[in-house]
Amino acid sequence: MNKRTLLPPLNPRFIFLLSLTVVSSSFGFYLPGLAPVSFCEEKSKGDAEECQLFVNRLDSVESVLPYEYDAFDFCKDTNERRPSENLGQVLFGERIETSPYKFSFKADKACVKVCTKSYDIGSSEDKLKLDFLKKGMELNYQHHWIVDNMPVTWCYIVEDGQKVCNPGFPIGCLVNQEGKPKDACVINADFNKKNTYYVFNHVDITIFYHSGDETNGMHARLVAATLEPQSIKHSNDENPTCEGAPMDIPADFKSNLKVTYTYSVTFKQNDDIRWASRWDYILVSMPHTNIQWFSIMNSLVIVLFLTGMVAMIMLRTLHKDIARYNQMDQEEAQEESGWKQVHGDVFRPPRMGMLLSVFLGQGTQVFIMTFITLFLACMGFLSPANRGALMTCAVVLWVLLGTPAGYVSARLYKTFGGENWKTNVLLTAFLCPGIVFVDFFMMNLILWVEGSSAAVPFGTLVAILALWFGISVPLTFVGAYFGFKKPGIEPPVRTNQIPRQIPQQSFFTKAMPGIIMGGILPFGCIFIQLFFILNSIWSHQMYYMFGFLFLVFIILVITCSEATVLLCYFHLCAEDYHWWWRSFLTSGFTAVYLFVYAVHYFFSKLQIIGAASTILYFGYTLIMVLIFFIFTGTIGFFSCFWFVNKIYSVLKVD
């Protein structure tokens, strides 16, 4: 029977609060909050508990378009059920359903027939189904199977002798017209026919379990699941023996074809693997793991060194200026040039203050959302085992953080002397989210046309709009109400009525060179992590190092702040007091480097082909770049805002 020995699975939005209340009473609470499932034999009936195998969407590194399991005409479960999916799973295109592969705990089976698919040469429908299957093998589409919320992995040995466990396995492979095997066809020398497809129609499944401790009432738990895909042409479709030549499918559909799908399953006891660490063998064996650890540590050392150097230069230079100005009398100070001479213009309201305040409000919302999401992920609550939890948490937090966005935007707009408060709050609520939603909707239209499983259903789009208009927008109005109710931020010095003329600037103190240089250092501290994040999104690798990601996030914030403050100080020393937009764009320009890197990654690392996949890649990349631009720009602006207020208030310049 199936026993829940601990707490039932908790919703990721409530797990943190609930865990605090139950941790004292639940002796075995496991992060990320997923309770283990125990299996035991039904001795009275003589059989064992059923192990349910689920199938997920199929994806490929050569195409951005994932497809449901049923799209490739595989064997279907007669009693198909779909478990409930959270918002994050739907947005990521996960489509989990029950499979026809049925087996019971500790009941080994050999060469069990699942079904036989027949393709008639005279049927145009069968031709379309077979062509789609061939296209999937040509693009190396991968199965993703799940047992007990754990991926069924395909483990193999690479060239250097390292064992790699991939959480997916191919549906088949192709030997091209030149006789060169592609992708998985290299694993078998029998795959040697030119211009031929080989479908993996048989799998040998091995499930490892921890026997548990019957004296304490703890039954067996599954700790690993692996499989070995094979291609077998069964001589007898009714009573297969799982022996014979590979199941080859000619490129030209000239005769009737039958494909029989079979499987074998074996259970093995392994008490060395604990249930809480059952994902370790997948994560440790993933490609580039060792390189990732070394690269991240190397990047952190370099970034910390550069950050310390920037801070040292800034503090020493500024301290020298303040000491020199404090030793001067008023007449000498009037003859002095530099940042003190622009005290009457430094707080002059910027041009397009409305747009700047809107960006800053949205940036505050994104910053708080990112910080909380990464913190929870770092604590383990949003691990890969908790499917879709990361995206669900981010979306829910963004919706609930409309109040600080409206408050910051309204308060700064009032500080800039703005009076059109209705326009301000409407733009804060709709401008940036509207741009993201329009882009997302256009990408979703392409997915709908292509029939991809990643296409968000119409009902989910309505739910997202309901969250936006029903919760986020009203909260933005509430925040704007309190922001406009309070007076604007009072500057420490008075602003002159007549603007001061800005002297001729050198090349390095002009706006564009400073902005371009300002984004280099922040980008330098994230590009290594960015590589692995892009791999997890587009190459379907599992990302789990949230601790390092949170540390890089903190370093990014510090680097953006110090680099922007340093350049702002240099511009003020050159008597250029237009620092409002420049401070935002200096750190925000990191997003431009992010886009350039994404373009480089597309052409150098990915194998994506097809116009639809290319448009989807750059469409989703633009969403990421826009959010990152607002996020980093907000960090730079508030750092400079604090810095400028601090130095002019300390000097008490009248």
Side-chain angles (χ1 to χ4, degrees), residues 251-266:
D252 299 327
F253 186 32
K254 296 181 179 180
S255 61
N256 294 340
L257 179 70
K258 286 187 177 181
V259 180
T260 299
Y261 292 89
T262 56
Y263 73 96
S264 301
V265 60
T266 305

Side-chain angles (χ1 to χ4, degrees), residues 341-349 493-496 498-501 577-580:
Q341 293 300 97
V342 296
H343 67 271
D345 298 279
V346 72
F347 289 101
R348 190 176 302 281
V493 291
R494 294 193 302 268
T495 301
N496 296 334
I498 302 176
R500 180 186 178 89
Q501 184 177 1
Y577 51 82
H578 294 306
W579 63 274
W580 301 94

Side-chain angles (χ1 to χ4, degrees), residues 312-381:
M312 181 182 64
I313 294 173
M314 182 187 67
L315 291 176
R316 289 188 62 182
T317 306
L318 187 59
H319 177 74
K320 186 184 298 183
D321 277 353
I322 293 176
R324 185 171 70 251
Y325 285 133
N326 287 337
Q327 293 173 359
M328 296 179 183
D329 56 26
Q330 191 64 24
E331 293 182 358
E332 291 176 339
Q334 289 177 356
E335 297 177 357
E336 184 70 22
S337 62
W339 57 272
K340 190 175 180 181
Q341 293 300 97
V342 296
H343 67 271
D345 298 279
V346 72
F347 289 101
R348 190 176 302 281
R351 299 174 182 175
M352 296 188 293
M354 172 81 77
L355 183 61
L356 180 59
S357 63
V358 169
F359 281 165
L360 294 172
Q362 284 293 326
T364 303
Q365 186 177 12
V366 172
F367 174 81
I368 301 175
M369 176 202 73
T370 306
F371 179 83
I372 297 177
T373 302
L374 289 181
F375 178 77
L376 293 178
C378 182
M379 296 296 293
F381 296 113

Side-chain angles (χ1 to χ4, degrees), residues 56-69:
N56 202 346
R57 65 174 186 177
L58 287 84
D59 52 36
S60 168
V61 295
E62 299 182 27
S63 175
V64 178
L65 303 169
Y67 290 98
E68 290 194 40
Y69 176 82

Side-chain angles (χ1 to χ4, degrees), residues 212-231:
D213 188 356
E214 295 290 344
T215 59
N216 294 330
M218 187 177 73
H219 299 278
R221 295 171 180 173
L222 305 187
V223 293
T226 62
L227 59 76
E228 185 71 27
Q230 296 186 41
S231 179

Side-chain angles (χ1 to χ4, degrees), residues 46-53 99-114 202-207 226 230 240-242 262-268:
D47 57 0
E49 174 61 23
E50 180 182 1
C51 296
Q52 184 66 62
L53 190 147
S99 75
Y101 297 84
K102 307 292 184 182
F103 45 86
S104 299
F105 179 63
K106 295 180 68 174
D108 296 351
K109 293 183 178 181
C111 199
V112 179
K113 176 185 175 181
V114 183
H202 175 82
V203 288
D204 291 319
I205 305 173
T206 304
I207 298 180
T226 62
Q230 296 186 41
T241 60
C242 296
T262 56
Y263 73 96
S264 301
V265 60
T266 305
F267 287 84
K268 293 184 178 180

